[in-house]
Amino acid sequence: MTDQLSPVHVQRWVHGFIDTVEEEVDHLTDLDRRSGDGDFGTNMVSALRRSREAMADADVATAGILFQIMSETFLAHSGGTSGPLFGMWFREFGKVGMVTEAFTQEMLAEATANGLATVTRLGSAQEGDRTMVDAIAPADRALREAVESGSELREGLRAAARAAHEGARHTSDLLGRRGRTSYVGEAALGSPDPGAVTIAMFYQAAQRSAD
Ligand code: ADP
Ligand code: MG
């Protein structure tokens, strides 16, 4: 049982997340093909592989270092609309974890809230526009509630993972209003947004790392 995510947990989280995206690359690409142009999965995996290589030499002394590395890699090397958005998303976890050895639930809630603010500021998407925001916003609410009610970290992460998953699933019913998916219209209905699905994977990996 843990009430903090130490660097060892964070390593499990980050590598678990990368493993899942690699395993699901074809699925993510297929989702982007249905609602955009089909480059999402391969872009994501190539930036994550590059991040993993950069992590190999890192001194994992703070909770945030691996997120800082992912952020820098995504901002420098990844393409598409989502690359810079994920780069800025990881950056918020790196910033909150920069001067600490472990993430508390409060810190994870803070990083999520900051990430939501940054992604919506840069991409101008609101909840309901069929983007990654549709998974981030419910995770933000879940973590906020967990902090307010004083529930355990594991419970908070479980709630965040479930909320992000439900939010991502719900994007199947939404018409796109941002990015390429807005040109696809009704053809995207029935398939979830790949960016939102990836955010759900991110919180699921966080939850698993704490178990
Ligand atoms: P594209 O091929 O359209 O340049 P990507 O394939 O790299 O973009 O990424 C698509 C993902 O980016 C979508 O699944 C969505 O979650 C996310 N996205 C697109 N536009 C926005 C936006 N304005 N705000 C937030 N997320 C967005
Ligand atoms: Mg695309």
Side-chain angles (χ1 to χ4, degrees):
M1 180 72 80
T2 179
D3 59 355
Q4 295 194 334
L5 296 186
S6 69
V8 172
H9 292 111
V10 176
Q11 270 180 315
R12 232 187 277 160
W13 173 5
V14 165
H15 290 289
F17 169 62
I18 298 175
D19 289 344
T20 305
V21 174
E22 281 186 335
E23 283 159 22
E24 295 292 323
V25 60
D26 292 340
H27 175 58
L28 292 170
T29 292
D30 186 50
L31 292 182
D32 193 39
R33 203 173 289 125
R34 288 163 195 266
S35 61
D37 55 0
D39 63 346
F40 181 86
T42 40
N43 279 348
M44 200 73 200
V45 163
S46 88
L48 287 173
R49 284 199 179 137
R50 214 184 249 269
S51 305
R52 182 122 73 177
E53 281 164 23
M55 284 170 198
D57 305 325
D59 174 16
V60 188
T62 67
I65 182 72
L66 299 185
F67 294 106
Q68 279 171 259
I69 292 171
M70 281 206 283
S71 168
E72 282 162 19
T73 308
F74 270 70
L75 291 175
H77 298 291
S78 70
T81 309
S82 61
L85 290 173
F86 273 97
M88 294 302 282
W89 167 252
F90 296 135
R91 188 164 182 260
E92 298 297 348
F93 287 79
K95 266 164 59 178
V96 168
M98 189 158 58
V99 290
T100 179
E101 268 181 31
F103 281 115
T104 61
Q105 180 157 255
E106 286 78 5
M107 289 174 187
L108 294 172
E110 186 190 344
T112 298
N114 294 347
L116 175 63
T118 300
V119 169
T120 50
R121 181 169 50 79
L122 293 175
S124 308
Q126 299 301 314
E127 209 174 349
D129 286 352
R130 193 187 160 91
T131 70
M132 59 198 281
V133 171
D134 293 308
I136 298 172
D140 172 54
R141 284 193 290 273
L143 282 169
R144 215 179 275 266
E145 261 176 50
V147 169
E148 277 164 19
S149 66
S151 61
E152 286 170 10
L153 173 70
R154 265 169 54 158
E155 287 308 313
L157 284 177
R158 184 163 302 142
R162 197 167 37 225
H165 177 75
E166 284 305 312
R169 216 164 55 103
H170 177 59
T171 59
S172 299
D173 304 330
L174 298 174
L175 285 170
R177 283 199 285 263
R178 294 282 157 193
R180 281 181 211 276
T181 180
S182 61
Y183 309 127
V184 175
E186 291 185 7
L189 294 178
S191 309
D193 173 72
V197 169
T198 303
I199 292 290
M201 291 171 179
F202 180 78
Y203 284 102
Q204 195 177 48
Q207 182 210 319
R208 286 208 193 111
S209 79
D211 279 346

